[in-house]
Amino acid sequence: RTYEGLEFSHTALASDLKRDVIIHAEERDTLKHRWRFPTLSIHGVEGAFYAPGDKTVIPARVRGKFSLRTVPNMEPEKVAQLVKRYLQDEFAKLGSKNKMTVIETHAGRWWYSSPNHPNFVAGSRATEKVYGVKPDLTREGGSIPVTLTFEENLGVNVLLLPMGAADDGAHSINEKIDKRNYIQGIKLLGAYLHEVAATDMTA
């Protein structure tokens, strides 16, 4: 039932992405891979020739960057250990005299919270009050490890309450926020605090 009644379609997603790169036939499978399953993302390669034109130069050193999104029951330390071992084993099969070093720059633990918690109920009511529609509760990947730190050290439920649009392009070179979302976001914060004050947070 998690995926029933959501305002989501492959057509709309392809339109937002400006091209059809969807690889799953069913919309619920697309959402599962966006929300529930681990991911591997390649972010860049340093050292290789990347400017326009043809080059036959072989670089002396190349550095690749990638990240993994963990999900419940995947612990960063174990994941890092397995990834390093796999890459080293595969590199050893090449019989190359080159050297490869795998470095983990940082890691964060996965975070998940129940959408039925009173804090989420308050956030949902506030969103509906400001935008006039019942919000879809999603499980998105992110890089905000401090979320779990807040929850554990303060002993409170933590809610990530978005105020942007799906096409804001977070962290991209064309990242934006529309004026409407900024203004509505201010209203949303006020409405959320009002709902929290009127909600039994111990329920």
Side-chain angles (χ1 to χ4, degrees):
R1 297 188 312 182
T2 302
Y3 308 99
E4 295 176 0
L6 297 177
E7 190 177 339
F8 174 82
S9 70
H10 279 163
T11 302
L13 178 60
S15 176
D16 288 341
L17 296 174
K18 302 297 187 289
R19 65 192 62 195
D20 185 0
V21 294
I22 300 166
I23 60 176
H24 303 288
E26 298 294 330
E27 292 172 345
R28 72 169 53 230
D29 290 329
T30 296
L31 291 175
K32 285 180 181 179
H33 283 80
R34 289 185 66 181
W35 295 354
R36 295 179 57 181
F37 298 150
T39 63
L40 167 64
S41 300
I42 299 175
H43 302 290
V45 178
E46 293 181 16
F49 180 77
Y50 59 87
D54 299 325
K55 287 289 183 179
T56 57
V57 176
I58 299 175
R61 176 181 297 177
V62 174
R63 175 182 297 174
K65 303 175 184 178
F66 67 93
S67 68
L68 297 167
R69 180 180 70 193
T70 57
V71 298
N73 301 318
M74 292 179 66
E75 299 308 323
E77 297 81 5
K78 184 64 175 179
V79 172
Q81 178 185 1
L82 292 172
V83 169
K84 288 180 181 179
R85 182 189 304 166
Y86 175 79
L87 292 175
Q88 291 164 348
D89 289 346
E90 290 299 307
F91 184 76
K93 294 177 183 178
L94 299 175
S96 174
K97 291 187 177 181
N98 291 312
K99 296 180 180 179
M100 182 190 70
T101 304
V102 182
I103 301 174
E104 178 189 6
T105 56
H106 64 272
R109 290 175 293 160
W110 54 269
W111 171 77
Y112 172 78
S113 188
S114 171
N116 298 317
H117 188 280
N119 193 26
F120 280 75
V121 174
S124 180
R125 288 174 179 166
T127 301
E128 187 171 5
K129 183 174 293 184
V130 172
Y131 291 96
V133 294
K134 189 174 180 62
D136 292 334
L137 302 180
T138 67
R139 291 173 59 175
E140 292 283 349
S143 53
I144 317 175
V146 73
T147 304
L148 186 58
T149 303
F150 282 150
E151 190 167 86
E152 291 179 338
N153 288 276
L154 298 177
V156 296
N157 177 268
V158 176
L159 167 69
L160 300 180
L161 191 62
M163 55 181 281
D167 63 350
D168 280 346
H171 305 306
S172 72
I173 57 174
N174 296 318
E175 183 175 9
K176 69 170 181 65
I177 182 169
D178 297 331
K179 184 187 297 183
R180 174 182 181 274
N181 290 100
Y182 185 77
I183 295 173
Q184 294 297 90
I186 296 174
K187 297 178 182 178
L188 178 58
L189 177 58
Y192 165 69
L193 294 176
H194 174 79
E195 290 294 336
V196 167
T199 302
D200 180 5
M201 302 302 287
T202 62

